Amino acid sequence: LNTRIKETGNDDELDQLIKSLNQMIGQLESAFDAQKQFVSDASHELRIPLTVIQGYSDILSSWGKENPQLLEESVDSINEEIQNMKKLVEELLLITRLENNYFTQKFEPADLGELVTKVYNECEMIDATHSFELTRVDHCLVKCNESLILQALRALADNSMKYTPAQGKICFSCTETANRCILSVTDTGIGIPESELENVRRRFFRVDGDRSRETGGTGLGLSIIESIVKLHRGELVIESTLGQGTNMKIILIR
Ligand code: ADP
């Protein structure tokens, strides 16, 4: 756009008004640019699995009939890419809903200690390669959208499992303070370089793009968690030491 109203130069009321209008135009332009960037990034991310699916489908139509092993491998890969696309589309839909205040009507008191325990139990059940510990469970009641907070906790746990080598440890806690509830997930994983600590909150950002994509990462997880936490007027705190581990905290006001 790059549209600005010319100031009068008289430093009068009209000039002040023009200045604040120009400021608003600037903000609108930035929001518009961010939206354009988001659509372009999302299209790019969707094109990757589509290109892979197209490739395997070409292989199948050329050689699939006479080569059963190739057929099986191609179908498996196509299924994997479809799962990746499904996850991405679901996350994009969630982002849109979070931005459009779709969830604000549904806040009810929930026991966050119960939620942390639930996620800990789920991890114990599905993952035998790591050890898990529930270090503290305060039964803290907070008005929230329970299913969104559960989703955020699951996403934190999922990241810890993804980025912690086998035999590593993942600890969960729910701590109540005078006016806050702190949900914490700590792992002994690969950690995040200090220079990337702020970037990991950005949409589609991955520290190690390709490898993260291989593990089913979309690069949207943390930005969604942060939007969920902000919807509750809370804070997402990320602390990490490269090669030693990561601690992520969701801090909610009680
Ligand atoms: P992804 O879907 O790629 O995991 P996220 O938004 O959840 O996307 O995370 C962004 C990036 O932050 C990841 O690609 C990874 O590099 C880094 N990251 C997130 N959680 C952890 C963690 N617990 N340990 C190390 N790195 C992490």
Side-chain angles (χ1 to χ4, degrees):
L1 288 170
N2 241 335
T3 319
R4 290 291 183 281
I5 305 166
K6 204 162 173 283
E7 290 168 27
T8 62
N10 295 335
D11 205 21
D12 52 11
E13 261 178 47
L14 180 61
D15 214 28
Q16 292 306 321
L17 189 67
I18 291 174
K19 275 190 185 127
S20 46
L21 274 174
N22 280 337
Q23 217 175 2
M24 278 194 273
I25 293 172
Q27 285 166 349
L28 273 174
E29 278 177 356
S30 311
F32 191 60
D33 284 348
Q35 205 64 34
K36 274 201 298 192
Q37 186 63 43
F38 178 59
V39 172
S40 145
D41 289 345
S43 314
H44 175 73
E45 292 292 330
L46 281 168
R47 211 166 49 195
I48 299 171
L50 275 176
T51 309
V52 179
I53 290 171
Q54 167 102 66
Y56 280 112
S57 137
D58 289 347
I59 292 174
L60 277 181
S61 55
S62 307
W63 300 291
K65 283 195 197 85
E66 62 254 39
N67 190 334
Q69 197 194 337
L70 190 73
L71 182 109
E72 198 183 318
E73 279 169 18
S74 305
V75 170
D76 283 353
S77 302
I78 287 176
N79 274 330
E80 200 179 305
E81 291 302 329
I82 288 174
Q83 290 312 316
N84 288 343
M85 275 184 78
K86 206 169 151 220
K87 183 167 182 241
L88 184 57
V89 169
E90 276 163 8
E91 289 186 341
L92 291 172
L93 190 62
L94 179 57
I95 288 175
T96 312
R97 289 181 164 170
L98 284 164
E99 279 185 351
N100 293 335
N101 295 327
Y102 175 88
F103 298 103
T104 40
Q105 315 295 326
K106 297 164 191 158
F107 282 18
E108 305 268 349
D111 179 341
L112 298 189
E114 290 281 321
L115 288 196
V116 170
T117 309
K118 185 177 179 143
V119 174
Y120 160 79
N121 285 331
E122 287 171 358
C123 291
E124 278 277 28
M125 235 164 22
I126 58 168
D127 181 356
T129 62
H130 298 106
S131 66
F132 298 95
E133 197 182 323
L134 199 51
T135 47
R136 175 171 174 163
V137 181
D138 291 343
H139 289 280
C140 186
L141 280 185
V142 173
K143 252 188 149 189
C144 63
N145 180 313
E146 188 174 333
S147 82
L148 283 180
I149 298 293
L150 183 62
Q151 197 163 340
L153 271 172
R154 281 185 178 139
L156 287 184
D158 192 44
N159 273 350
S160 283
M161 292 187 276
K162 258 189 335 203
Y163 302 112
T164 302
Q167 317 308 327
K169 189 170 181 181
I170 298 163
C171 296
F172 297 89
S173 68
C174 174
T175 308
E176 187 171 32
T177 68
N179 54 0
R180 289 186 155 60
C181 179
I182 304 163
L183 308 173
S184 161
V185 181
T186 309
D187 63 57
T188 56
I190 59 172
I192 300 167
E194 206 186 330
S195 57
E196 309 288 22
L197 275 178
E198 278 312 307
N199 289 333
V200 291
R201 298 167 189 266
R202 283 178 24 213
R203 285 174 182 167
F204 298 112
F205 182 88
R206 305 167 176 114
V207 172
D208 176 355
D210 288 343
R211 200 202 42 206
S212 165
R213 191 174 177 277
E214 273 166 29
T215 56
T218 58
L220 287 173
L222 285 176
S223 70
I224 290 177
I225 298 170
E226 185 154 52
S227 301
I228 291 176
V229 176
K230 281 192 176 155
L231 183 74
H232 291 81
R233 305 197 194 296
E235 194 188 349
L236 172 69
V237 178
I238 305 177
E239 287 165 344
S240 188
T241 309
L242 195 61
Q244 287 188 24
T246 302
N247 171 235
M248 301 230 181
K249 287 192 202 84
I250 294 175
I251 303 181
L252 297 176
I253 300 166
R254 293 175 54 216

